[in-house]
Amino acid sequence: MLPIYRWPEKKAAERIKPAALEDLSVQAQVAEILSEVVKNGDEAILRYTERFDGCRLTKDSLRVREEEIQEAYDKVDTQFLHSLRQAKENIISFHTLQKQKDWFVQDERGSLVGQVYRPLERVGIYVPGGTANYPSSVLMTSLPAVVAGVPEIVMVTPPGKDGGIPAPTLVAAHEAGVGEIYRVGGAQAVAALAYGTESIRPVDKIVGPGNIYVTMAKKLVYGQVGIDMLAGPSEILLIGDGSVAPAYAAADLLSQAEHDKRARAFLVTNDGNWASKVREEVEKQLTSLPRENVAREALTSFGAIILVEDLEEAFAVSNFIAPEHLELLLADPWPHLAKIKHAGAVFLGPYSPEPLGDYWAGPSHVLPTGGTARYASPLGVEDFCKRSSIISYTAKGFTMAARSIMHLAEIEGLTAHGRAIGVRLEEDGL
Amino acid sequence: MLPIYRWPEKKAAERIKPAALEDLSVQAQVAEILSEVVKNGDEAILRYTERFDGCRLTKDSLRVREEEIQEAYDKVDTQFLHSLRQAKENIISFHTLQKQKDWFVQDERGSLVGQVYRPLERVGIYVPGGTANYPSSVLMTSLPAVVAGVPEIVMVTPPGKDGGIPAPTLVAAHEAGVGEIYRVGGAQAVAALAYGTESIRPVDKIVGPGNIYVTMAKKLVYGQVGIDMLAGPSEILLIGDGSVAPAYAAADLLSQAEHDKRARAFLVTNDGNWASKVREEVEKQLTSLPRENVAREALTSFGAIILVEDLEEAFAVSNFIAPEHLELLLADPWPHLAKIKHAGAVFLGPYSPEPLGDYWAGPSHVLPTGGTARYASPLGVEDFCKRSSIISYTAKGFTMAARSIMHLAEIEGLTAHGRAIGVRLEEDGL
């Protein structure tokens, strides 16, 4: 079921290479949804919500009311609320450490350069919904914005057929400090956040993962607003040396595989014997899994066990994949951290399974997928701030630099640039 | 010529509101160029270079040779080289201060979270060319990558009809440490960098401004590779209180206007008398400008002087525009810095004209345009690094968290996530 390859077999590379994102058929559909929302605003949103979510709403019922949120609190148990609040605390303390400080440097002539950070003013977070129920995603997307100091955080999530949003999602949004919640999902939600409608004011940036329609919509509106990333199917790569119980590795592979039939779960090891044990464990644990079919299909179609000569080769495979999640199931993982070139999140040791990061430890679980960890980072405070460069020269500092700047401007044929310098020298007889 | 409006006149807002980027006709053309390059590689690149740049190249002449770079040094004067090297030094020292440190925090149970930074492996920088000649753009795009520690920096720039690249551009590339230079521009260059050809290996991220074709190509390849931003026409906004010589303000407006017929130059002031003087100065300085026609058309079609009641209103206008360049031509600029919500780069005081930033001071002159400073930052070291989150829990830390994580996973209906936790408790009898 879970195929085994030997690196660097060609079939192994074929199997594990990052999946391409593009799907042009979807692009055409999504482009139409965007232009419909631009043209018809709320009316278009309500129409698509009825078509795609099977839910008939009105302009008045688009936004979630305060009472609904209060009712949601009555529906969740205290254990959930306690766990959610502890997770929130962990996420906030991690991201507080990400905050950047403004800085300046001044030279001996008094001239100064530096940079200042400002929070974004209004951001939109997309939370998958419908049947699913992801309070953790609410915290992992909105809390970095809260820590950044974003004053307006807007959440969109597709409603159920009855128009309802799961109580845990609403409670998480309220706990996180989300100010506005709208029952709208898919490309139409992204369009509303990017261009605005009568009911939903546009935002400056849209974050949070969604299905292929949401992802394509984010790509198309990028430029009109900022976006965090283009998220694909979730991935995990385990590097094991046989020192950890096979049941751990098997369970971690399955925790990824149950997400989605396109989820990608890989094990890389130099211990063939241990690999077979992990594979048996996967079979054993699969049979009792409620989402057995999803997990089995994901592992069969996209999963792999890759056998390597040694750990050096294992890290070469990992850097080739640039995985979203990377677990180091090694007796002594820390010395190997330096070998990791590309990974969204790295989990070291037997007691750091990926769900620990999904729900608890603090770093956002919104991570680069599909090999984009080669250039992209986990969602963080920097997604919700921007820098401005600061330049302030003194007359003395300016005069010392003037001739060189004028010469460079002359070389580039930008006379007026040179004159902006020259006119100051003349007027002041510098 | 340079129209004057009174804020908040509706016409004033109309005039200064950010220009929309989208141009779908261009999108179709660009999409075709991309797929041609994907299909036919070098052959397509050479074909487009002949069509758009009027230059016939071969696979062998696509890449700039070492001797060409040495010859370029013989063509530039020592004053240029000296100025270029001083600018390089300033840019490197500024960006060195941007570098982030890896960090970890450990709690009393020994559990640890943190983040590490890694440079990108291979980046492509786009440098406009043809008739133009922008050594400063070479430094401003490549040096932040050098400081970040990117091992492979590839430059693309359109050749002249004779296939030549201006000597100052080649010298700047060599001084900056660019390792590969290819004579290709436009959407075909972006395609080559994103997808690769026989002669050009693909990169992880593409940075640097270009024309609308380049910008659209960057948008379309985003996801396949990272990009820095979608750059539009350059902009400047001056806020003046009448304390600075009108000739300064006029020269600074013109330094922006000469870039491009679509360049946007705005002056916002509460001193109508000073505004008229600036306007007269603009007319006076224009007449002797080699690029007079470009600058005049830009100012006439897109420029504006906006009269406001007071400086509070001036900063409201500025935050509405979110300008790429913002000059504070104020007697006492520093106290006002806190009012700036959105700006690419801020220039404080009479001796900090925008060209000082274009060529000299240190921060990259690649800045967010078209209102994108609402969510985007200047090009910097962070564009050439990515973070990885680090999570490593001890058995004790894990056990303390286990029950809460399992409960949250259960709420989300992700059984296998819960089991990845549970199996560890069982196996170890924790």
Side-chain angles (χ1 to χ4, degrees):
Chain A
M1 174 270 309
L2 186 58
I4 300 186
Y5 303 94
R6 175 165 290 285
W7 192 259
E9 233 175 79
K10 193 160 179 309
K11 275 161 55 200
E14 278 304 313
R15 180 79 169 186
I16 65 180
K17 75 171 194 298
L21 176 78
E22 294 307 329
D23 182 337
L24 291 171
S25 63
V26 173
Q27 177 165 347
Q29 274 172 274
V30 169
E32 194 201 329
I33 294 172
L34 298 186
S35 64
E36 273 296 300
V37 172
V38 169
K39 272 200 239 89
N40 302 311
D42 285 343
E43 182 277 317
I45 287 177
L46 296 172
R47 190 170 8 109
Y48 287 119
T49 302
E50 184 166 4
R51 185 190 306 173
F52 298 129
D53 304 305
C55 167
R56 196 171 205 139
L57 297 172
T58 66
K59 291 189 183 201
D60 303 335
S61 57
L62 204 52
R63 180 168 179 175
V64 172
R65 283 167 295 97
E66 196 47 48
E67 310 81 73
E68 256 174 289
I69 294 164
Q70 291 318 318
E71 286 157 28
Y73 272 86
D74 305 335
K75 294 184 189 139
V76 300
D77 59 54
T78 55
Q79 160 71 11
F80 167 75
L81 204 55
H82 172 270
S83 302
L84 188 79
R85 285 177 173 161
Q86 183 57 56
K88 171 187 170 181
E89 201 176 295
N90 295 345
I91 297 164
I92 285 178
S93 38
F94 179 85
H95 287 92
T96 301
L97 292 166
Q98 281 190 333
K99 289 191 79 167
Q100 299 297 315
K101 288 192 177 56
D102 301 346
W103 56 261
F104 304 89
V105 289
Q106 192 171 35
D107 69 16
E108 64 285 0
R109 296 182 200 98
S111 296
L112 180 153
V113 292
Q115 59 189 31
V116 296
Y117 290 87
R118 298 283 188 262
L120 274 59
E121 280 195 75
R122 181 172 169 85
V123 302
I125 67 171
Y126 188 93
V127 175
T131 57
N133 171 25
Y134 297 126
S136 65
S137 302
V138 176
L139 299 187
M140 291 293 189
T141 45
S142 56
L143 289 176
V146 169
V147 171
V150 176
E152 297 181 21
I153 303 174
V154 183
M155 178 177 126
V156 292
T157 189
K161 292 198 185 321
D162 63 350
I165 309 288
T169 302
L170 291 179
V171 169
H174 188 75
E175 290 289 316
V178 172
E180 302 165 47
I181 308 172
Y182 299 94
R183 319 166 211 277
V184 56
Q188 60 273 24
V190 174
L193 291 172
Y195 302 106
T197 70
E198 305 90 307
S199 305
I200 304 175
R201 276 186 304 118
V203 300
D204 297 319
K205 186 168 184 174
I206 301 170
V207 306
N211 61 22
I212 182 68
Y213 294 89
V214 170
T215 303
M216 183 57 68
K218 282 168 73 179
K219 176 167 180 170
L220 294 179
V221 301
Y222 172 56
Q224 172 72 23
V225 296
I227 64 172
D228 54 344
M229 64 181 74
L230 302 174
S234 195
E235 309 154 336
I236 194 167
L237 183 140
L238 278 50
I239 295 179
D241 58 7
S243 64
V244 170
Y248 292 13
D252 297 355
L253 290 169
L254 288 170
S255 73
Q256 194 63 34
E258 79 170 337
H259 266 300
D260 172 356
K261 289 177 174 181
R262 299 182 312 150
R264 297 152 55 86
F266 307 118
L267 170 66
V268 181
T269 180
N270 56 346
D271 184 335
N273 179 21
W274 184 71
S276 324
K277 292 211 190 83
V278 173
R279 200 184 188 197
E280 287 159 28
E281 264 293 332
V282 168
E283 268 303 339
K284 206 172 98 198
Q285 295 183 21
L286 247 180
T287 53
S288 62
L289 213 58
R291 298 167 66 87
E292 176 182 0
N293 295 342
V294 173
R296 188 180 293 279
E297 180 165 340
L299 291 176
T300 309
S301 316
F302 299 104
I305 295 175
I306 310 282
L307 299 177
V308 291
E309 275 306 306
D310 52 29
L311 290 181
E312 295 305 316
E313 203 171 55
F315 283 95
V317 173
S318 176
N319 288 329
F320 172 78
I321 296 177
E324 178 189 12
H325 305 97
L326 173 59
E327 283 188 11
L328 305 188
L329 298 175
L330 303 173
D332 183 19
W334 282 97
H336 298 283
L337 183 56
K339 297 174 187 159
I340 298 168
K341 291 183 177 178
H342 319 291
V346 184
F347 301 79
L348 295 89
Y351 295 104
S352 307
E354 185 247 323
L356 181 70
D358 285 342
Y359 292 105
W360 198 257
S364 179
H365 71 206
V366 178
L367 301 166
T369 59
T372 61
R374 292 186 64 83
Y375 60 83
S377 299
L379 189 71
V381 168
E382 73 183 22
D383 284 286
F384 300 104
C385 297
K386 61 263 177 29
R387 279 177 290 117
S388 296
S389 301
I390 305 296
I391 297 172
S392 184
Y393 267 42
T394 57
K396 190 171 178 198
F398 174 80
T399 311
M400 299 289 291
R403 297 280 180 296
S404 295
I405 298 171
M406 289 167 76
H407 190 73
L408 291 170
E410 188 189 334
I411 296 277
E412 294 192 357
L414 295 174
T415 314
H417 281 61
R419 290 199 186 167
I421 305 296
V423 67
R424 286 163 162 86
L425 294 179
E426 295 154 20
E427 295 262 327
D428 299 16
L430 295 171
Chain B
M1 174 268 310
L2 185 58
I4 300 186
Y5 302 94
R6 176 163 290 285
W7 192 262
E9 235 174 77
K10 192 159 178 307
K11 275 161 55 201
E14 277 305 312
R15 179 80 169 188
I16 64 179
K17 73 170 193 300
L21 176 78
E22 296 305 330
D23 182 338
L24 291 172
S25 62
V26 173
Q27 175 164 347
Q29 275 173 273
V30 170
E32 194 201 329
I33 294 172
L34 298 185
S35 63
E36 274 295 300
V37 173
V38 169
K39 273 199 237 87
N40 303 310
D42 285 344
E43 183 277 317
I45 287 175
L46 297 171
R47 193 174 0 114
Y48 287 119
T49 302
E50 184 166 5
R51 186 190 305 175
F52 297 129
D53 304 304
C55 167
R56 197 170 206 141
L57 297 172
T58 66
K59 290 189 185 203
D60 303 336
S61 57
L62 204 51
R63 179 169 178 174
V64 172
R65 284 166 297 97
E66 195 48 47
E67 310 79 74
E68 254 175 289
I69 294 165
Q70 292 316 320
E71 286 156 29
Y73 272 85
D74 305 335
K75 294 184 188 139
V76 300
D77 59 54
T78 54
Q79 162 72 11
F80 167 75
L81 205 54
H82 173 270
S83 303
L84 188 78
R85 285 176 173 162
Q86 183 58 54
K88 172 187 169 181
E89 201 177 294
N90 295 344
I91 297 165
I92 286 178
S93 37
F94 179 85
H95 287 92
T96 301
L97 292 166
Q98 280 190 334
K99 289 191 79 167
Q100 299 297 316
K101 288 192 178 58
D102 301 345
W103 56 261
F104 302 92
V105 290
Q106 192 170 35
D107 69 18
E108 64 287 358
R109 296 181 200 98
S111 296
L112 180 152
V113 293
Q115 61 190 30
V116 296
Y117 291 86
R118 299 282 188 262
L120 273 60
E121 280 195 74
R122 183 172 168 85
V123 302
I125 67 172
Y126 188 93
V127 175
T131 56
N133 170 24
Y134 297 126
S136 64
S137 302
V138 176
L139 300 187
M140 291 294 190
T141 45
S142 56
L143 290 176
V146 169
V147 171
V150 176
E152 298 181 21
I153 303 174
V154 183
M155 179 177 125
V156 293
T157 188
K161 292 198 185 320
D162 63 349
I165 309 288
T169 302
L170 292 179
V171 168
H174 187 75
E175 291 288 318
V178 172
E180 302 165 49
I181 307 171
Y182 298 95
R183 341 172 187 268
V184 55
Q188 59 274 25
V190 174
L193 292 172
Y195 302 105
T197 70
E198 305 90 309
S199 304
I200 305 176
R201 277 185 303 118
V203 300
D204 297 319
K205 186 169 183 173
I206 301 170
V207 306
N211 61 24
I212 183 69
Y213 295 90
V214 170
T215 302
M216 184 57 69
K218 283 169 71 180
K219 175 167 180 170
L220 294 180
V221 301
Y222 172 56
Q224 172 71 24
V225 296
I227 64 172
D228 55 341
M229 63 182 72
L230 301 174
S234 195
E235 309 153 338
I236 193 166
L237 185 140
L238 278 51
I239 295 179
D241 59 6
S243 64
V244 171
Y248 292 13
D252 297 354
L253 290 169
L254 288 170
S255 73
Q256 193 62 33
E258 79 171 336
H259 267 300
D260 171 356
K261 290 178 173 180
R262 297 182 311 149
R264 297 152 56 85
F266 306 117
L267 170 64
V268 181
T269 180
N270 56 345
D271 184 335
N273 180 18
W274 184 72
S276 324
K277 292 209 190 84
V278 173
R279 198 186 191 194
E280 286 159 27
E281 264 294 332
V282 168
E283 268 302 341
K284 206 172 98 198
Q285 295 183 23
L286 249 179
T287 54
S288 61
L289 212 58
R291 300 167 64 86
E292 176 182 359
N293 294 342
V294 173
R296 188 179 294 279
E297 179 164 340
L299 292 177
T300 309
S301 315
F302 300 104
I305 294 176
I306 310 281
L307 298 178
V308 291
E309 274 307 304
D310 51 30
L311 290 181
E312 296 305 316
E313 203 170 58
F315 284 94
V317 173
S318 176
N319 288 328
F320 172 78
I321 296 176
E324 178 190 13
H325 304 98
L326 174 59
E327 283 188 12
L328 305 187
L329 298 176
L330 304 172
D332 183 17
W334 282 98
H336 298 284
L337 183 56
K339 297 173 187 158
I340 298 168
K341 291 182 177 179
H342 319 291
V346 185
F347 301 79
L348 295 89
Y351 295 103
S352 307
E354 186 248 320
L356 182 70
D358 286 343
Y359 292 106
W360 198 257
S364 179
H365 71 206
V366 178
L367 300 167
T369 59
T372 61
R374 293 185 63 84
Y375 60 82
S377 300
L379 189 71
V381 169
E382 72 183 23
D383 283 288
F384 300 104
C385 297
K386 61 263 179 25
R387 281 178 286 117
S388 296
S389 301
I390 305 296
I391 297 172
S392 184
Y393 266 41
T394 57
K396 188 170 179 202
F398 174 82
T399 312
M400 298 288 292
R403 296 279 179 299
S404 294
I405 298 171
M406 289 168 76
H407 190 73
L408 291 169
E410 187 190 337
I411 296 278
E412 294 192 355
L414 295 174
T415 315
H417 281 61
R419 290 200 186 164
I421 305 296
V423 67
R424 285 165 162 86
L425 296 178
E426 296 154 20
E427 293 262 326
D428 299 16
L430 295 170

